[in-house]
Amino acid sequence: MISETVVELSRAQYAINAVQHFLFVPLTLGLSLFLALMESWFLLSGQAVYKQMTQFWGRLFAIGFGLSIASSLAMAVQFGGNWSYFSHYVGDVFALPLLIGLAGLFLAANGVGWLLFGWRRLGKGAHLSVTWLVSIGCHLSWFGFLIASGWMQNPVGAEFNAQSMRMELTDLNLLLCNPVALAKFVHSLLASYVTAAGFVLAISAYYLLKQRETQLAQHSYRIAAAVGFWAVIATVALGDASIYAPGTMPRTKLAAISGLPNDDILEQNRQRIDNGLRAYSMLQELRDDKKDASLLAVFAAAKADLGYALLLKRWQDSVVDAKPAQIEQAALTSVSPAAPLFWGYKVMVVSGVLCLLAFLLASAATIAGWRSSWLLKSSLYAWPLPWLASGSGWFISEFGRQPWIVADILPTWVGVSTRSETDLIVSMAAYGVAYTGLSALALVLIVKFVRRGCAGSLLLAEESGDA
């Protein structure tokens, strides 16, 4: 049997990558749209301040984009490194959305250099096209990764093949139009706009407090306040609708965040484990390429619960020999612990409400012309709230899927690679050191560029020949 320590170390290493990925990807995704909109308005209005804003925020976008590339590639490597059985079992389905995500990332990467240094070398229309290309690439990348993540929550468009012993793609359209994945994509996309708006609002408030870069800060503050306010409302409305829409949230997760008992779910899972054991027994007979029609028909009726039999792999290699006590143990651990989900949901709601108040105040101040110190400070110190709200949402989504890596199909501890504990500890330490260094470098660069202000943008423009 697979060591529990190996499973927990593999999960911890994946979590380190996911946290790094989560810190910078939503920011760069949201900022990419900001840049495209600001440069478009520069071309339409002819106001130079919007070009200055595109150049200034473009530098901060580039820092986050570099970290996003690193964490995205590391995440992809994780699947082959520590989760090889997962890759083998569902790779036929999972690889396509992952490829879409990486393709979007490389599309955006090809345009970032032109976005930063191409102001003089490209015409205005060509440069705007590049900026939109970068934004579209970021969004395409997010779409691919969210289709993959959504499929792990709601695995549609695929079936288990008893001969190949793995999941195989049967309906591409259903995979790409998975309702759970699309809801996650739109919801998290809106949350990324909130994150970027909070970032722009906080830095603009800092400049206004310091009486620096006033024109850029006033325009940026006004746009961020309006975008953030409406994006928060849309995020909350869509999130609330998707929680209670049929089929978009597992019952176990809904019961946990609502503080309701899950006795009926546990009873249902006991039955699914029994049914899964029958499917597992029949699978032994089908492995030798038998074409018995009646056997295939009985297996087809039970195979949806095959994954529930695999839950027993945690305690018993030969699951058909599992004892009643092990079956009961598997049933009791077939749902996520409720308390972390319950409190995670509360944190998300409180953070979302505080976000809404911060953007509402900033919007009201913009309309009324207020520029009091306390209001600007509230905008500045509210910058972590969007990350806290969306981070809590991700925690509910990912922790609430446990004990499954693919819901109802593949338990988490079955999906890991057979690596040694030493390998995992050493590689996790390497990831920790690398990510700590990269994050520290990114923060130092952001602080440095913010302190330098628009002077840095002019310097960059001169370096690109746009003096």
Side-chain angles (χ1 to χ4, degrees):
M1 287 188 296
I2 295 171
S3 155
E4 290 269 356
T5 307
V6 167
V7 175
E8 293 308 320
L9 285 172
S10 299
R11 291 181 65 192
Q13 195 173 119
Y14 186 82
I16 290 174
N17 280 278
V19 167
Q20 183 75 18
H21 188 76
F22 172 78
L23 283 176
F24 290 97
V25 170
L27 176 64
T28 54
L29 179 64
L31 278 180
S32 73
L33 184 66
F34 267 65
L35 296 178
L37 293 176
M38 283 187 286
E39 189 173 345
S40 297
W41 190 244
F42 161 62
L43 254 68
L44 289 171
S45 68
Q47 297 180 56
V49 66
Y50 288 99
K51 178 180 178 181
Q52 190 182 38
M53 288 163 65
T54 308
Q55 292 173 334
F56 174 76
W57 296 111
R59 284 183 305 147
L60 300 183
F61 162 81
I63 295 170
F65 186 77
L67 269 292
S68 299
I69 287 268
S71 62
S72 298
L73 294 177
M75 288 274 282
V77 169
Q78 281 287 307
F79 295 120
N82 294 347
W83 301 92
S84 58
Y85 191 76
F86 162 80
S87 300
H88 161 76
Y89 199 75
V90 302
D92 187 66
V93 189
F94 193 76
L96 179 62
L98 201 62
L99 184 63
I100 293 174
L102 292 174
L105 210 55
F106 285 116
L107 177 67
N110 275 301
V112 169
W114 287 106
L115 188 154
L116 293 174
F117 301 104
W119 289 95
R120 182 66 174 245
R121 294 176 176 85
L122 300 174
K124 290 181 180 178
H127 192 278
L128 177 63
S129 301
V130 167
T131 307
W132 273 107
L133 184 72
V134 170
S135 183
I136 290 169
C138 289
H139 284 70
L140 179 64
S141 172
W142 195 241
F143 173 76
F145 292 142
L146 266 293
I147 289 292
S149 174
W151 187 80
M152 293 164 75
Q153 306 271 350
N154 183 38
V156 295
E159 281 190 9
F160 178 78
N161 185 319
Q163 301 304 323
S164 64
M165 298 289 287
R166 58 203 293 263
M167 296 295 292
E168 294 182 354
L169 183 64
T170 57
D171 190 333
L172 178 61
N173 186 54
L174 195 53
L175 172 68
L176 297 179
C177 299
N178 184 344
V180 172
L182 292 180
K184 280 171 67 77
F185 170 66
V186 177
H187 183 66
S188 58
L189 193 61
L190 290 167
S192 74
Y193 298 155
V194 175
T195 302
F199 181 77
V200 173
L201 192 77
I203 294 176
S204 302
Y206 167 79
Y207 281 142
L208 292 172
L209 281 166
K210 296 289 184 183
Q211 296 292 305
R212 291 183 51 204
E213 317 295 351
T214 310
Q215 189 184 26
L216 177 143
Q218 283 177 340
H219 282 76
S220 299
Y221 190 90
R222 186 177 68 243
I223 293 172
V227 170
F229 176 71
W230 290 110
V232 169
I233 289 179
T235 305
V236 171
L238 184 64
D240 191 57
S242 64
I243 285 176
Y244 298 104
T248 53
M249 177 172 275
R251 288 177 60 215
T252 52
K253 210 181 293 183
L254 187 59
I257 65 173
S258 305
L260 298 174
N262 57 13
D263 297 340
D264 59 327
I265 299 171
L266 289 177
E267 182 54 34
Q268 183 187 61
N269 288 353
R270 289 187 185 95
Q271 295 171 11
R272 296 194 72 173
I273 291 172
D274 289 339
N275 202 36
L277 285 171
R278 281 192 288 277
Y280 195 91
S281 299
M282 284 182 278
L283 190 60
Q284 311 304 311
E285 301 178 45
L286 290 169
R287 289 186 67 175
D288 297 328
D289 202 24
K290 290 184 179 176
K291 304 294 184 184
D292 186 306
S294 60
L295 184 61
L296 285 169
V298 176
F299 177 74
K303 73 176 180 182
D305 294 330
L306 181 62
Y308 280 80
L310 298 179
L311 285 170
L312 290 159
K313 286 275 186 184
R314 186 174 184 180
W315 299 279
Q316 176 64 265
D317 259 342
S318 175
V319 299
V320 292
D321 297 325
K323 305 289 187 297
Q326 292 172 324
I327 294 175
E328 180 61 17
Q329 200 171 10
L332 292 174
T333 56
S334 63
V335 296
S336 308
L341 296 174
F342 179 80
W343 289 110
Y345 182 69
K346 302 300 178 198
V347 171
M348 182 183 72
V349 171
V350 170
S351 303
V353 169
L354 292 175
C355 260
L356 183 61
L357 287 175
F359 285 117
L360 179 63
L361 272 175
S363 298
T366 300
I367 295 170
W370 303 334
R371 282 292 180 267
S372 59
S373 173
W374 70 267
L375 191 145
L376 293 173
K377 285 181 180 176
S378 71
S379 298
L380 173 60
Y381 297 127
W383 70 266
L385 289 174
W387 269 286
L388 194 56
S390 52
S392 305
W394 273 108
F395 173 76
I396 293 167
S397 174
E398 299 304 312
F399 186 80
R401 192 181 64 234
Q402 299 304 316
W404 303 98
I405 189 168
V406 180
D408 301 337
I409 299 289
L410 188 67
T412 300
W413 49 83
V414 178
V416 298
S417 304
T418 52
R419 298 183 64 189
S420 71
E421 294 174 10
T422 305
D423 286 346
L424 287 163
I425 290 171
V426 170
S427 55
M428 189 159 67
Y431 273 118
V433 170
Y435 278 144
T436 302
L438 286 172
S439 299
L441 177 63
L443 289 175
V444 167
L445 288 174
I446 288 173
V447 170
K448 178 182 175 183
F449 282 135
V450 169
R451 284 180 175 167
R452 186 183 290 176
C454 290
S457 300
L458 291 174
L459 180 61
L460 196 65
E462 288 169 2
E463 287 171 352
S464 68
D466 192 25

